[in-house]
Amino acid sequence: MARDRAELGAFLRSRRDRLTPAQAGMEPFPGPRRVPGLRKEELAVLAGLSPDYYSRLEQGRQSTISTAVLDGLARALRLTEVEHAHLVDLAEPTARRRATTVVPVQRADPGLLRLMSALDHLPVLLLGQRTDVLASNALFSAVQKELEPGSSLARFLFLDPVARERIVNWSYFASNTVATLRREAARRPQDGRLTALIDDLRAADPDVARWWDDHQVRDHASVRKLINHPVGGDLVFDIEIVSAPRDPDQQLIVYTVEQDSPTARVLPLLASWHRDARVS
């Protein structure tokens, strides 16, 4: 049996709505327009499909979809590599299985833990599936907040007021987290814990629901993070990500700093402050 096609149809509609005929490099079909982007018929022509076949795709009535069709849609919709991979995952035929919360426990990769120890002068966080926290170092706790192994970075971002208070560009990071969770949900549709996390966040925070309905997808990327710290003041980090060769679902999130920058100079003071706070 094919995977439920509702998500596939919704994703195609969202990408079609955002792309105008001019952006797609074609003359619009004549007649009044009732959609902000491409019409179904226009996209079908661009992708080399019949209008009826494409309509079946959006309506979830097409059980099997070839690689050639998916490649044609990706080209016509100007999808990024991540969006193209997401489209393929949504269209992949799979056995219909009940979502399960019984999933293998993810163990922190020893090599990434050794690398974390070598980077104790920088804030470092080790994430697994579902943004689960596998490990973090003392400087990460000092800069952001102590997150215990087994906790969720996504829950911290949306449910803990400290996240909004400290992360200056919170909206950027939060929306990208939602896009990352959507990408992960397509890759592992039977992960009941992931589904429960997403459902909880969508119910708890209207921002999550709004960003989820945008159908944006992301993989982890290197970005800049701005922190307003109650002791250290304004901090600027460039986030770099290292994946485990044996387990690509683990990412070491390293908060790098420019040499001799104000942030670099204040980090040793924050480390000392955090040690004193834990002792007291």
Side-chain angles (χ1 to χ4, degrees), residues 72-270:
L73 288 169
R75 285 192 300 269
L77 290 168
R78 308 293 178 92
L79 299 186
T80 65
E81 288 186 13
V82 174
E83 290 172 329
H84 191 170
H86 184 67
L87 177 68
V88 171
D89 283 336
L90 292 176
E92 180 185 0
T94 60
R96 191 181 296 275
R97 300 190 296 271
R98 180 174 298 177
T100 176
T101 56
V102 182
V103 293
V105 175
Q106 203 172 19
R107 304 293 183 186
D109 181 83
L112 293 183
L113 288 178
R114 288 192 295 270
L115 183 55
M116 175 185 288
S117 296
L119 296 172
D120 62 353
H121 60 292
L122 295 172
V124 184
L125 173 70
L126 179 58
L127 290 182
Q129 298 169 355
R130 309 171 215 91
T131 74
D132 287 352
V133 174
L134 301 179
S136 61
N137 67 4
L139 254 184
F140 177 87
S141 299
V143 166
Q144 197 147 281
K145 184 178 180 177
E146 186 168 359
L147 300 180
E148 295 291 338
S151 63
S152 164
L153 179 65
R155 290 187 187 277
F156 165 72
L157 280 173
F158 290 104
L159 305 181
D160 192 324
V162 170
R164 283 179 169 87
E165 291 168 4
R166 291 199 183 181
I167 303 173
V168 177
N169 50 345
W170 176 88
S171 293
Y172 177 81
F173 272 86
S175 62
N176 273 274
T177 297
V178 172
T180 300
L181 289 174
R182 178 176 278 285
R183 177 76 188 95
E184 192 171 356
R187 291 171 51 225
R188 301 205 317 278
Q190 284 79 33
D191 188 336
R193 287 177 56 194
L194 175 60
T195 301
L197 169 66
I198 292 167
D199 288 344
D200 288 349
L201 295 178
R202 292 177 68 187
D205 193 311
D207 283 328
V208 178
R210 174 169 56 86
W211 288 322
W212 188 263
D213 290 341
D214 285 342
H215 289 271
Q216 297 290 339
V217 288
R218 298 275 191 279
D219 276 340
H220 295 286
S222 300
V223 292
R224 175 156 288 196
K225 193 166 195 175
L226 309 177
I227 299 287
N228 188 318
H229 195 276
V231 174
D234 293 332
L235 309 175
V236 179
F237 298 98
D238 288 309
I239 307 299
E240 302 297 339
I241 298 174
V242 181
S243 294
R246 293 180 296 275
D247 187 354
D249 285 330
Q250 293 192 37
Q251 288 89 31
L252 196 68
I253 316 297
V254 184
Y255 286 51
T256 68
V257 295
E258 293 185 8
Q259 189 174 8
D260 295 326
S261 66
T263 301
R265 291 193 293 270
V266 82
L267 283 182
L269 300 178
L270 284 179

Side-chain angles (χ1 to χ4, degrees), residues 33-54:
R33 305 191 67 82
R34 293 178 295 178
V35 293
L38 291 172
R39 294 173 175 174
K40 290 181 183 179
E41 298 83 0
E42 292 168 337
L43 178 54
V45 168
L46 285 171
L49 308 174
S50 72
D52 179 65
Y53 182 90
Y54 179 75

Side-chain angles (χ1 to χ4, degrees), residues 12-24 26 28-29 31-40 42 58 77:
L12 287 171
R13 285 192 298 274
S14 72
R15 302 305 89 180
R16 178 167 63 84
D17 285 346
R18 73 174 185 173
L19 190 67
T20 66
Q23 291 169 331
M26 70 179 300
F29 285 9
R33 305 191 67 82
R34 293 178 295 178
V35 293
L38 291 172
R39 294 173 175 174
K40 290 181 183 179
E42 292 168 337
E58 273 203 11
L77 290 168

